Amino acid sequence: MRRKEFSIEEEKEMIAFLDQCSFGFLGTVSPDGEPRVTPLNFVYMEGCFYFHGSLAGEKMKQIKQHSAVSFTVAEEYSLIPSFFSDPELACPATSFFKSVMASGLAEPVEDLELKGRVLQRFMEKLQPQGGYVPIDAQDSRYTGRLKAVAVVRIVPKRVSAKFKFGQNLTPERFDHISGQLHKRNEGRDQETVEMMQKYCPFHQQ
């Protein structure tokens, strides 16, 4: 069940999350009708998801047969053990996370200029330190390579974002769980507390 209090409606929040993530999961249907999920790098540009691969790769075969796909990006921040809320029952155990789920149609990108812009965005995202000649379709060093690589655009029909950081908690439970995270101080616990304070209604200005 999708809980309304965890839904994110502001597009800028979703875009900021997608820009900081490099990995997502592509859902396709194989030629024999079997569901498939493929982890891959992606970029999000101008309302669409993009990924790249081999022109003759398995993903391209699947998309050619069935262009309807799903795409999911998720990032876990902290596990919340049951004993943070109840000394005996396992039921309160949960996790705090961000996720974006999209469904739509996948289509190959043929335009070399767009291919170049997409792959340049990949480089900026995955290799921000630079150290390469920028990708330009007009650069003869890249033209042949752009023709030889597949770039796919996912045009979403539906996109939903879910950021779960205790928005449904009472102020008392919120303070207790955030205090336990601060005390535990493992992994991304401090960042999780900051996200709780950001997204919980009674902490917003």
Side-chain angles (χ1 to χ4, degrees):
M1 179 181 298
R2 174 165 297 281
R3 301 188 65 157
K4 185 176 180 181
E5 64 262 37
F6 301 145
S7 297
I8 296 297
E9 304 296 338
E10 293 189 28
E11 187 179 19
K12 65 179 182 179
E13 292 280 351
M14 182 191 74
I15 293 175
F17 170 62
L18 293 174
D19 283 346
Q20 76 182 35
C21 294
S22 61
F23 224 70
F25 297 88
L26 173 70
T28 57
V29 178
S30 69
D32 58 2
E34 293 295 322
R36 299 286 296 273
V37 175
T38 305
L40 45 74
N41 294 120
F42 78 98
V43 293
Y44 184 77
M45 292 173 46
E46 301 171 354
C48 295
F49 297 86
Y50 291 86
F51 64 90
H52 63 88
S54 168
L55 288 171
E58 190 66 25
K59 295 188 297 293
M60 297 303 294
K61 295 178 183 177
Q62 294 166 9
I63 290 168
K64 185 176 181 179
Q65 186 77 18
H66 299 282
S67 61
V69 300
S70 66
F71 197 76
T72 301
V73 182
E75 185 172 10
E76 188 174 70
Y77 278 66
S78 290
L79 294 173
I80 310 300
S82 60
F83 53 78
F84 274 14
S85 298
D86 192 291
E88 297 180 349
L89 297 179
C91 304
T94 188
S95 65
F96 288 168
F97 62 89
K98 293 182 179 182
S99 67
V100 171
M101 293 162 283
S103 60
L105 299 179
E107 54 189 31
V109 174
E110 304 294 346
D111 182 76
L112 292 188
E113 292 289 342
L114 179 54
K115 274 189 174 184
R117 288 198 294 115
V118 170
L119 295 176
Q120 174 62 26
R121 180 69 187 95
F122 266 102
M123 292 302 296
E124 293 168 354
K125 188 175 189 179
L126 302 178
Q127 191 174 310
Q129 67 271 34
Y132 61 91
V133 176
I135 299 174
D136 186 340
Q138 301 302 317
D139 189 327
S140 60
R141 292 169 291 184
Y142 285 120
T143 304
R145 295 174 185 271
L146 289 173
K147 292 179 180 178
V149 67
V151 172
V152 177
R153 170 174 50 214
I154 300 174
V155 182
K157 289 185 176 180
R158 291 176 296 276
V159 180
S160 63
K162 181 178 178 180
F163 292 5
K164 181 182 177 183
F165 289 99
Q167 294 96 315
N168 61 328
L169 297 174
T170 63
E172 292 74 20
R173 286 193 65 206
F174 177 97
D175 289 340
H176 177 71
I177 290 177
S178 60
Q180 290 296 310
L181 286 169
H182 183 73
K183 181 179 179 180
R184 185 175 68 181
N185 194 25
E186 297 177 356
R188 304 181 70 176
D189 285 349
Q190 298 306 319
E191 190 178 358
T192 300
V193 173
E194 293 175 5
M195 292 296 103
M196 291 175 68
Q197 294 171 345
K198 179 177 180 179
Y199 293 112
C200 287
F202 45 81
H203 272 269
Q204 295 173 4
Q205 300 298 321

